Amino acid sequence: KAGVTQTPRYLIKTRGQQVTLSCSPISGHRSVSWYQQTPGQGLQFLFEYFSETQRNKGNFPGRFSGRQFSNSRSEMNVSTLELGDSALYLCASSLVGVYAKDNEQFFGPGTRLTVL
Amino acid sequence: QKEVEQNSGPLSVPEGAIASLNCTYSDRVSQSFFWYRQYSGKSPELIMSIYSNGDKEDGRFTAQLNKASQYVSLLIRDSQPSDSATYLCAVNALRAGSYQLTFGKGTKLSVIP
């Protein structure tokens, strides 16, 4: 079974621009979560989508948004980019079910965003 | 603030030794506990999950959970240079109808040949 895929793998943008990142979950997985990873803050939760609905949101400004499509693929958007948005953006998918193991999260390779 | 704490390291162990990684968490409603391994420049890889008190063994890895002490650990036996990576402890809790994973900042492990 193919793993989580993310595109693009690398992005370079300038301040003020916007960016859209894409994530395709493992086949059959219905939940997609997004994380930002920086050396100083570690892995921080952005938001989680299930059945095209945002179920949870982390403590990030409204410039960070996302959506999920009917095939469970997800996108996240960052508008008005700031230098501090430079980070590795990771998505993770999970099956979602009644068993604890169904909620294990598996990560994609990430998108490395550099804001100049 | 729900927190997961780990020693940042680096933790250096000689090849063949046991590496012991520790993690504490603050949210008592936490239900599932995970260890991820992250090589430099790569994404986190799930290596162990544990859901109930006690030990869980998988090959050279043993995860230990003590909910009363809010403590999770990972033991790596017969450490190999290929185990050199950052190990992330993660805790899952049910919030607003869905599970939210909170990560520690990771412990960097270096296995010396």
Side-chain angles (χ1 to χ4, degrees):
Chain A
K1 191 181 274 190
V4 179
T5 59
Q6 290 186 246
T7 57
R9 293 293 311 278
Y10 302 92
L11 265 179
I12 299 176
K13 294 285 187 179
T14 56
R15 279 182 299 174
Q17 288 186 307
Q18 78 164 27
V19 66
T20 299
L21 313 181
S22 180
C23 172
S24 292
I26 292 170
S27 177
H29 283 198
R30 298 183 293 163
S31 167
V32 173
S33 298
W34 288 90
Y35 298 86
Q36 180 195 66
Q37 187 175 36
T38 58
Q41 297 299 317
L43 259 167
Q44 293 188 289
F45 173 74
L46 280 156
F47 27 66
E48 185 246 353
Y49 285 88
F50 173 75
S51 290
E52 302 178 63
T53 300
Q54 186 183 92
R55 294 200 298 184
N56 261 316
K57 186 174 174 13
N59 189 26
F60 278 82
R63 300 185 297 107
F64 292 83
S65 63
R67 59 178 175 168
Q68 187 181 35
F69 303 94
S70 58
N71 62 357
S72 296
R73 190 177 70 85
S74 177
E75 289 181 346
M76 70 162 279
N77 184 275
V78 188
S79 62
T80 319
L81 284 166
E82 300 177 0
L83 294 179
D85 296 333
S86 293
L88 180 65
Y89 289 89
L90 293 156
C91 82
S93 74
S94 63
L95 189 61
V96 181
V98 297
Y99 301 105
K101 196 169 177 60
D102 295 339
N103 299 294
E104 293 176 350
Q105 293 190 17
F106 299 90
F107 283 87
T111 295
R112 173 76 61 185
L113 172 65
T114 301
V115 182
L116 302 176
Chain B
Q1 180 82 12
K2 315 302 180 189
E3 292 185 347
V4 178
E5 300 285 345
Q6 297 180 251
N7 288 329
S8 60
L11 172 65
S12 293
V13 300
E15 183 175 355
I18 296 176
S20 178
L21 306 163
N22 304 313
C23 170
T24 59
Y25 60 94
S26 62
D27 189 352
R28 285 196 169 272
V29 302
S30 299
Q31 297 168 308
S32 306
F33 307 86
F34 307 96
W35 286 97
Y36 286 82
R37 178 176 63 199
Q38 186 172 25
Y39 292 114
S40 180
K42 302 293 186 183
S43 62
E45 173 193 9
L46 179 63
I47 56 171
M48 286 290 283
S49 54
I50 186 166
Y51 306 105
S52 55
N53 280 330
D55 295 359
K56 178 182 176 184
E57 187 174 319
D58 183 0
R60 296 186 295 111
F61 298 98
T62 299
Q64 299 174 316
L65 173 61
N66 184 324
K67 288 187 178 181
S69 301
Q70 295 176 247
Y71 175 87
V72 193
S73 67
L74 179 71
L75 299 177
I76 306 175
R77 290 181 300 282
D78 188 24
S79 295
Q80 301 297 309
S82 59
D83 295 325
S84 297
T86 296
Y87 289 80
L88 301 166
C89 173
V91 172
N92 222 358
L94 189 61
R95 293 196 183 89
S98 70
Y99 285 94
Q100 185 171 327
L101 206 54
T102 302
F103 283 84
K105 292 193 174 181
T107 298
K108 187 170 184 178
L109 172 66
S110 180
V111 180
I112 312 300

